[in-house]
Amino acid sequence: QVQLVESGGGLVQAGGSLRLSCAASGGVFSTYFMGWFRQAPGKEREFVAAISWSGGSTYYADSVKGRFTISRDNAKNTVYLQMNSLKAEDTAVYYCAANSAATTRTFDYWGQGTQVTVSS
């Protein structure tokens, strides 16, 4: 069973950048399809981005395409989310997720989340 710990959240002005990290332990990281989700106050959790086991394929929500980049370093057991050109509507708790099979919806393992606040 894999454990996930996110970091890198914080307060940033609109137009700024942040990089989130998610460190995995307790499993073979390269065997997990990884994803990022977010949940804003009063809204349902939504898919942000996902990356395949080797990093060769990436997937994005339309709302972040061209601004966010997901990547992974299997040697460091870490997945990243580089967020550029941040907008107030990107404010949310961001969650890292892992799953053995390819998916952008159903993940078996979740981190505790990290808060991202974008001030306008």
Side-chain angles (χ1 to χ4, degrees):
Q1 183 169 340
V2 63
Q3 291 82 46
L4 305 170
V5 178
E6 302 96 335
S7 61
L11 174 65
V12 63
Q13 289 188 333
S17 299
L18 278 177
R19 188 176 82 154
L20 305 182
S21 299
C22 173
S25 61
V28 181
F29 183 68
S30 61
T31 66
Y32 289 99
F33 202 88
M34 300 299 296
W36 285 96
F37 286 73
R38 66 186 181 186
Q39 186 167 20
K43 295 187 177 181
E44 293 187 354
R45 186 164 58 189
E46 64 174 358
F47 168 76
V48 174
I51 189 167
S52 62
W53 308 268
S54 65
S57 296
T58 56
Y59 310 85
Y60 296 95
D62 288 342
S63 59
V64 306
K65 204 171 292 184
R67 299 188 298 122
F68 291 11
T69 302
I70 188 171
S71 61
R72 67 190 295 163
D73 186 337
N74 286 347
K76 295 183 178 180
N77 293 349
T78 302
V79 63
Y80 305 97
L81 186 68
Q82 177 67 44
M83 304 185 295
N84 299 329
S85 302
L86 283 161
K87 306 175 182 179
E89 51 263 43
D90 294 319
T91 295
V93 177
Y94 283 71
Y95 297 91
C96 173
N99 199 64
S100 297
T103 179
T104 59
R105 294 190 175 190
T106 305
F107 284 76
D108 287 337
Y109 305 103
W110 294 86
Q112 82 290 348
T114 186
Q115 177 70 48
V116 171
T117 302
V118 183
S119 62
S120 57

